[in-house]
C-alpha cells in the first residue's frame, strides 16, 4: 500500500519525551513550549509566537483579539478548511466567502476588493499547499481600508514570498502542527503576532483569560481573570515532540521539495487536455506541502478508483464552504464561487510524505499517465 500520509516520528521525539520526565512539568508554558516559541521567532523572524494546541485555537484567538462582534464581516476563501470560518462565526461574525484562482487555489485579489463593505473587519487568507497567495497586494489593500489581515498559514511553515516567511505579513499568522502537516506533534499550532500592540492581550487570552504570563515572569504577585480567554496553550507533551520536529524542519522540507519536484517532472506534459498541475509563480518559495492534479472531464473519481486498485491512496480536499450546512447557515456569498467548486470537484491529492521513494513516485505517475492514455 502506498499511503497518502505517513507522519514522521523518530528516536529524537522519543528522547525529548524521556527528557520530559526529568523536567517535572507536563502542563503548559514549560521548557519545550519556550524552545518551540524561540525556534519559530528565530527562524521565521517574527516578534512573537505563542504555542497553542491547534491552528484552530490560534484562529479562535485572533477573533477574540480583534474584538469580533455580531454583524461584523470577515472575508475569506470559499475553498478552505472549516476552522478558518468557524473561529469567527463563534464570535458572531458573518464569513463572506470569495472565489479562488484556478491556477493556485488561493484567494483572488479582485474578489476581495469587490467584497469589502462597511462591515468588513478582517480578511483571512490561506496559502494553499504552502504556496503564497498575493499577500503583498492584499496587505496594501487591508492597510488602505484599515481592516485586519490574518494569514491562515496552516500549510506553510518556512514557505516564503521573496525573502519573507508566510505568516509574518499580516497582523497575525496561524500555523498548524497537526499530523497531516509538514512538521507535526500529533496536534499543535502557533499564533504569530506581527502587530506588537496585541502581544500582551494574546498571552492573556491564551492563558484562560488570566495574566498568568506576568505572574510567571515575577512581574505581579497574583494572577487573576482579565479578559475573555480559554485553555489554548499546547501541552508540554506535544511541545516535546514538536521541538524535535522543528529542529529537523529544514531537512524535512528539503526532502519534500525534492518529492514535489519529482512529481512535477513526471507529470509535466506538453498538453494538459486531461489534467492540470499547479503553477509556481515568480518569487514564491513553497515548502512541498502537497502535490495535486486537477482532473478534467469529470474524471477525478474514476482515476481515484483506478489508483486504489494498485494500492495507491489518494484524497480530494475541501468542499466549497458555501455548499456546506454550516456555510449556508452562517456565511454569505455575493455570487457563486465557480472556481472553488471546480477545484473541489477536480482535485486529486497524491501520496506525499518523507518516506515515499522515487520508485513509488514513478509508479504513481506512470499509472496516472496510463489512465489518461498518454
Ligand atoms: C489543517 C488546517 C487547519 C486546522 O489545523 P488544526 O491544527 O488541525 O486545528 C486550519 N486551516 C487550514 C487551511 C488547514 O489546512
Amino acid at each position: 500500500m502506498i499511503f497518502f500520509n505517513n507522519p514522521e516520528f523518530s528516536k529524537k521525539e522519543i528522547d525529548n519525551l524521556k527528557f520530559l520526565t526529568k523536567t517535572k512539568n507536563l502542563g503548559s508554558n514549560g521548557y519545550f513550549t519556550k524552545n518551540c516559541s524561540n525556534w519559530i521567532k528565530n527562524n521565521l523572524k517574527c516578534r512573537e509566537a505563542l504555542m497553542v494546541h491547534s491552528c484552530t485555537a490560534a484562529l479562535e484567538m485572533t477573533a477574540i483579539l480583534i474584538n469580533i462582534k455580531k454583524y461584523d464581516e470577515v472575508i475569506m476563501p470559499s475553498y478552505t478548511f472549516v476552522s478558518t470560518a468557524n473561529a469567527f462565526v463563534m464570535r458572531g461574525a458573518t464569513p463572506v466567502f470569495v472565489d479562488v484562482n484556478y491556477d493556485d487555489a488561493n484567494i483572488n485579489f479582485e474578489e476581495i476588493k469587490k467584497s469589502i463593505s462597511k462591515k468588513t473587519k478582517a480578511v483571512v487568507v490561506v496559502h494553499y499547499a504552502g504556496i503564497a497567495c498575493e499577500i503583498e497586494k492584499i496587505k496594501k489593500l487591508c492597510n488602505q481600508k484599515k481592516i485586519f489581515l490574518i494569514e491562515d498559514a496552516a500549510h506553510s511553515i518556512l514557505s516564503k514570498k521573496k525573502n519573507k516567511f508566510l505568516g509574518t505579513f499580516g497582523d497575525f499568522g496561524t500555523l498548524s502542527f497537526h499530523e497531516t502537516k509538514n512538521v507535526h506533534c500529533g496536534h499543535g499550532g502557533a499564533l504569530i503576532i506581527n502587530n506588537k500592540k496585541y502581544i500582551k492581550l494574546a498571552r492573556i487570552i491564551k492563558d484562560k483569560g488570566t495574566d498568568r504570563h506576568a505572574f510567571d515572569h515575577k512581574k505581579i504577585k497574583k494572577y487573576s481573570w482579565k479578559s475573555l480567554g480559554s485553555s489554548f496553550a499546547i501541552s508540554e507533551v506535544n511541545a516535546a515532540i514538536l521541538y524535535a520536529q522543528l529542529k529537523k524542519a529544514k531537512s524535512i522540507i528539503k526532502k519534500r521539495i525534492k518529492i514535489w519536484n519529482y512529481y512535477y517532472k513526471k507529470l509535466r506534459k506538453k498538453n494538459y487536455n486531461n489534467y492540470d498541475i499547479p503553477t509556481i509563480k515568480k518569487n514564491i518559495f513553497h515548502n512541498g506541502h502537497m502535490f495535486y492534479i486537477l482532473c478534467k472531464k469529470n474524471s477525478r473519481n474514476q482515476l481515484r478508483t483506478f489508483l486504489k486498485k494498485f494500492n495507491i491512496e489518494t484524497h480530494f480536499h475541501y468542499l466549497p464552504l458555501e455548499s456546506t450546512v454550516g456555510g449556508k447557515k452562517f456565511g454569505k456569498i455575493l455570487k457563486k464561487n465557480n472556481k472553488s467548486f471546480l477545484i473541489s470537484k477536480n482535485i486529486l491529492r497524491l501520496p506525499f510524505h518523507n518516506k515515499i521513494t522515487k520508485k513509488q513516485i514513478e509508479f504513481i505517475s506512470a499509472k496516472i499517465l496510463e489512465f489518461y492514455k498518454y
Side-chain angles (χ1 to χ4, degrees), residues 77-95:
S78 153
Y79 187 69
T80 181
F81 190 60
V82 179
S83 296
T84 319
N86 226 347
F88 300 93
V89 171
M90 289 211 307
R91 310 241 63 85
T94 303

Side-chain angles (χ1 to χ4, degrees), residues 2-169:
I2 307 178
F3 293 108
F4 177 76
N5 190 24
N6 187 351
E8 160 96 14
F9 198 85
S10 68
K11 192 176 165 295
K12 295 264 191 322
E13 286 81 346
I14 307 281
D15 289 345
N16 275 6
L17 288 171
K18 279 185 188 151
F19 183 79
L20 193 60
T21 61
K22 290 186 199 132
T23 69
K24 311 270 185 261
N25 178 4
L26 306 184
S28 51
N29 300 328
Y31 172 84
F32 285 111
T33 297
K34 285 188 189 103
N35 275 304
C36 289
S37 169
N38 286 334
W39 190 96
I40 294 173
K41 281 192 275 190
N42 293 335
N43 285 277
L44 269 62
K45 300 182 176 60
C46 56
R47 277 182 201 278
E48 180 60 295
L50 298 184
M51 303 312 299
V52 294
H53 61 68
S54 61
C55 182
T56 302
L59 287 163
E60 288 172 13
M61 286 178 68
T62 66
I64 301 173
L65 276 163
I66 67 174
N67 198 20
I68 284 284
K69 296 224 169 66
K70 206 170 175 182
Y71 307 120
D72 285 342
E73 290 184 355
V74 179
I75 296 171
M76 63 186 65
S78 153
Y79 187 69
T80 181
F81 190 60
V82 179
S83 296
T84 319
N86 226 347
F88 300 93
V89 171
M90 289 211 307
R91 310 241 63 85
T94 303
V96 179
F97 305 127
V98 308
D99 215 353
V100 292
N101 308 314
Y102 178 74
D103 61 1
D104 62 7
N106 278 328
I107 193 163
N108 180 281
F109 174 75
E110 295 301 326
E111 296 297 325
I112 297 175
K113 229 168 144 181
K114 280 186 231 160
S115 308
I116 291 176
S117 75
K118 283 207 178 86
K119 294 180 186 162
T120 307
K121 187 83 183 253
V123 172
V124 188
V125 301
V126 177
H127 304 289
Y128 189 71
I131 296 166
C133 69
E134 293 181 280
I135 189 68
E136 289 146 317
K137 269 163 83 177
I138 297 169
K139 183 178 169 142
K140 219 168 158 187
L141 178 68
C142 288
N143 284 345
Q144 272 168 13
K145 302 279 182 186
K146 297 194 167 59
I147 51 189
F148 289 99
L149 174 60
I150 297 158
E151 295 173 82
D152 180 341
H155 300 178
S156 338
I157 188 157
L158 292 173
S159 287
K160 284 192 282 191
K161 177 72 190 283
K162 291 190 184 133
N163 273 325
K164 200 168 162 59
F165 290 97
L166 304 188
T168 68
F169 286 86

Side-chain angles (χ1 to χ4, degrees), residues 1-8 79 128-129 155 178-182 256 259-260 263 288-293 300 304 307-308 310-318 347-357 360-361 364 368:
M1 187 78 195
I2 307 178
F3 293 108
F4 177 76
N5 190 24
N6 187 351
E8 160 96 14
Y79 187 69
Y128 189 71
H155 300 178
H178 187 263
E179 66 158 6
T180 51
K181 307 302 199 292
N182 287 20
R256 294 184 75 110
I259 294 168
W260 198 99
Y263 266 127
H289 177 57
M290 72 166 85
F291 195 91
Y292 65 85
I293 63 172
R300 196 264 313 272
R304 189 159 183 245
L307 294 173
K308 213 176 191 172
F310 299 97
N311 290 323
I312 300 166
E313 185 188 23
T314 60
H315 284 304
F316 34 87
H317 215 184
Y318 311 132
I347 195 166
L348 191 70
R349 294 182 298 151
L350 305 182
F352 208 119
H353 51 79
N354 305 337
K355 280 166 225 135
I356 200 160
T357 63
Q360 287 175 322
I361 296 172
I364 295 162
I368 292 170

